[in-house]
Amino acid sequence: MKIMDKAAFEEQNVFGLGAPNDAFARYFAGRSYLNPLTRPEDGLFLANVTFEPGCRNNWHIHHASEGGGQLLICTAGEGWYQEEGKEAVSLEPGRVIVIPAEVKHWHGAKRDSWFSHIAVEMPGEVCSNEWCEPVSDAEYEAL
Protein backbone atom coordinates (compact mmCIF):
# COMPACT_ATOMS: atom_id res chain seq x y z
CA MET A 1 0.00 0.00 0.00
CA LYS A 2 1.49 3.31 -1.10
CA ILE A 3 1.52 5.91 1.66
CA MET A 4 2.57 9.53 1.07
CA ASP A 5 1.30 11.02 4.35
CA LYS A 6 3.93 10.70 7.12
CA ALA A 7 1.38 10.47 9.96
CA ALA A 8 -0.56 7.71 8.16
CA PHE A 9 2.69 5.89 7.47
CA GLU A 10 3.79 6.06 11.11
CA GLU A 11 0.53 4.33 12.10
CA GLN A 12 1.51 1.39 9.85
CA ASN A 13 5.23 1.42 10.70
CA VAL A 14 4.94 -0.81 13.77
CA PHE A 15 8.71 -0.98 14.41
CA GLY A 16 9.05 2.81 14.62
CA LEU A 17 10.74 5.51 12.60
CA GLY A 18 13.83 5.82 14.78
CA ALA A 19 16.37 8.59 14.37
CA PRO A 20 17.63 10.22 11.18
CA ASN A 21 20.23 7.91 9.63
CA ASP A 22 22.87 10.64 9.63
CA ALA A 23 25.85 8.30 10.04
CA PHE A 24 25.09 6.73 6.64
CA ALA A 25 23.44 9.72 4.93
CA ARG A 26 26.25 9.97 2.37
CA TYR A 27 25.20 6.55 1.02
CA PHE A 28 21.55 7.55 0.46
CA ALA A 29 19.73 9.76 -2.03
CA GLY A 30 17.07 11.35 0.16
CA ARG A 31 16.41 10.97 3.87
CA SER A 32 16.36 7.69 5.76
CA TYR A 33 15.82 6.73 9.40
CA LEU A 34 17.28 3.94 11.50
CA ASN A 35 15.69 2.19 14.48
CA PRO A 36 17.97 -0.59 15.83
CA LEU A 37 15.92 -3.51 17.16
CA THR A 38 18.90 -5.47 18.54
CA ARG A 39 22.52 -4.68 19.31
CA PRO A 40 25.37 -6.05 17.16
CA GLU A 41 26.81 -7.72 20.26
CA ASP A 42 23.57 -9.73 20.61
CA GLY A 43 24.86 -11.94 17.78
CA LEU A 44 22.29 -10.96 15.12
CA PHE A 45 21.76 -7.30 14.28
CA LEU A 46 18.29 -6.19 13.14
CA ALA A 47 17.23 -2.64 12.38
CA ASN A 48 14.09 -1.04 11.02
CA VAL A 49 15.14 1.21 8.14
CA THR A 50 12.64 3.78 6.90
CA PHE A 51 12.92 5.69 3.62
CA GLU A 52 11.06 8.89 2.75
CA PRO A 53 9.36 8.85 -0.67
CA GLY A 54 12.02 8.73 -3.38
CA CYS A 55 14.84 7.83 -0.97
CA ARG A 56 17.15 4.95 -1.86
CA ASN A 57 20.56 3.73 -0.85
CA ASN A 58 23.59 3.47 -3.13
CA TRP A 59 24.54 0.30 -4.86
CA HIS A 60 26.37 -1.82 -2.30
CA ILE A 61 27.80 -5.27 -1.64
CA HIS A 62 27.82 -7.30 1.57
CA HIS A 63 31.11 -9.17 1.50
CA ALA A 64 31.87 -12.34 3.48
CA SER A 65 34.40 -15.15 3.21
CA GLU A 66 31.65 -17.53 4.35
CA GLY A 67 27.92 -17.01 4.98
CA GLY A 68 26.95 -13.38 5.33
CA GLY A 69 24.64 -11.32 3.16
CA GLN A 70 21.47 -9.49 4.10
CA LEU A 71 17.80 -10.26 4.68
CA LEU A 72 15.07 -7.64 4.15
CA ILE A 73 11.63 -8.04 5.72
CA CYS A 74 9.27 -5.44 4.24
CA THR A 75 6.91 -4.00 6.85
CA ALA A 76 5.20 -0.80 5.61
CA GLY A 77 4.70 1.26 2.47
CA GLU A 78 6.19 0.35 -0.92
CA GLY A 79 9.73 0.20 -2.22
CA TRP A 80 12.15 -1.26 -4.75
CA TYR A 81 14.96 -3.82 -4.61
CA GLN A 82 17.34 -4.40 -7.50
CA GLU A 83 20.35 -6.62 -8.10
CA GLU A 84 22.92 -5.52 -10.65
CA GLY A 85 21.97 -6.76 -14.13
CA LYS A 86 18.41 -7.75 -13.11
CA GLU A 87 14.99 -6.12 -13.19
CA ALA A 88 13.87 -4.22 -10.07
CA VAL A 89 11.49 -6.04 -7.72
CA SER A 90 8.51 -4.27 -6.13
CA LEU A 91 8.48 -4.43 -2.33
CA GLU A 92 5.33 -4.47 -0.21
CA PRO A 93 4.64 -5.45 3.43
CA GLY A 94 5.20 -9.16 3.96
CA ARG A 95 7.79 -9.57 1.20
CA VAL A 96 11.09 -11.13 2.24
CA ILE A 97 14.25 -10.64 0.18
CA VAL A 98 17.33 -12.81 0.73
CA ILE A 99 20.52 -11.20 -0.57
CA PRO A 100 23.52 -13.53 -0.70
CA ALA A 101 26.97 -12.18 0.05
CA GLU A 102 28.82 -10.66 -2.91
CA VAL A 103 25.64 -9.54 -4.76
CA LYS A 104 25.67 -5.86 -5.79
CA HIS A 105 22.24 -4.34 -5.11
CA TRP A 106 20.25 -1.36 -3.82
CA HIS A 107 16.88 -0.83 -2.12
CA GLY A 108 14.65 2.07 -1.15
CA ALA A 109 11.24 3.70 -1.35
CA LYS A 110 9.14 4.21 -4.43
CA ARG A 111 8.92 7.85 -5.46
CA ASP A 112 5.31 8.05 -4.27
CA SER A 113 5.45 6.16 -0.96
CA TRP A 114 7.21 5.97 2.37
CA PHE A 115 8.81 2.55 2.86
CA SER A 116 10.14 0.53 5.78
CA HIS A 117 11.94 -2.79 6.07
CA ILE A 118 13.76 -4.68 8.76
CA ALA A 119 17.34 -5.21 7.65
CA VAL A 120 19.12 -8.25 9.04
CA GLU A 121 22.87 -8.68 8.77
CA MET A 122 23.27 -12.39 8.14
CA PRO A 123 25.96 -14.10 10.24
CA GLY A 124 29.16 -14.92 8.42
CA GLU A 125 32.91 -14.85 8.49
CA VAL A 126 34.99 -11.77 7.66
CA CYS A 127 31.89 -9.67 6.88
CA SER A 128 32.12 -6.13 5.52
CA ASN A 129 29.99 -3.75 3.52
CA GLU A 130 31.21 -1.96 0.39
CA TRP A 131 29.29 1.16 -0.61
CA CYS A 132 29.41 1.84 -4.34
CA GLU A 133 28.04 4.50 -6.69
CA PRO A 134 24.61 6.10 -6.23
CA VAL A 135 21.63 4.79 -8.17
CA SER A 136 21.34 7.39 -10.90
CA ASP A 137 18.21 9.49 -11.20
CA ALA A 138 17.74 8.06 -14.73
CA GLU A 139 17.88 4.46 -13.42
CA TYR A 140 15.47 5.26 -10.61
CA GLU A 141 13.01 7.31 -12.69
CA ALA A 142 12.82 4.48 -15.26
CA LEU A 143 11.11 2.23 -12.66
Side-chain angles (χ1 to χ4, degrees):
M1 171 194 322
K2 292 182 182 177
I3 305 171
M4 283 296 288
D5 179 72
K6 183 178 181 182
F9 176 76
E10 287 182 329
E11 288 179 21
Q12 299 294 316
N13 191 13
V14 297
F15 291 98
L17 190 66
N21 192 9
D22 293 338
F24 290 90
R26 66 186 176 276
Y27 304 119
F28 286 74
R31 192 159 180 94
S32 68
Y33 302 83
L34 184 67
N35 188 17
L37 304 176
T38 62
R39 301 170 304 161
E41 59 268 24
D42 292 334
L44 184 65
F45 182 64
L46 291 90
N48 190 48
V49 182
T50 299
F51 303 79
E52 290 185 346
C55 177
R56 70 259 186 200
N57 53 30
N58 288 6
W59 289 97
H60 58 286
I61 305 166
H62 301 277
H63 295 292
S65 62
E66 185 177 321
Q70 188 177 42
L71 176 76
L72 306 178
I73 303 167
C74 305
T75 58
E78 290 192 18
W80 292 110
Y81 166 76
Q82 186 173 23
E83 293 181 5
E84 186 176 46
K86 296 185 178 179
E87 294 292 318
V89 174
S90 181
L91 302 177
E92 301 87 22
R95 185 106 194 227
V96 176
I97 300 290
V98 177
I99 308 161
E102 310 306 328
V103 172
K104 189 174 182 180
H105 65 283
W106 69 271
H107 34 104
K110 291 187 176 176
R111 72 179 64 82
D112 56 356
S113 183
W114 283 79
F115 176 63
S116 222
H117 63 54
I118 295 173
V120 181
E121 294 178 12
M122 300 299 287
E125 300 295 324
V126 193
C127 294
S128 65
N129 193 32
E130 176 186 356
W131 289 101
C132 304
E133 72 278 6
V135 175
S136 73
D137 289 341
E139 288 173 299
Y140 184 76
E141 293 301 322
L143 300 175

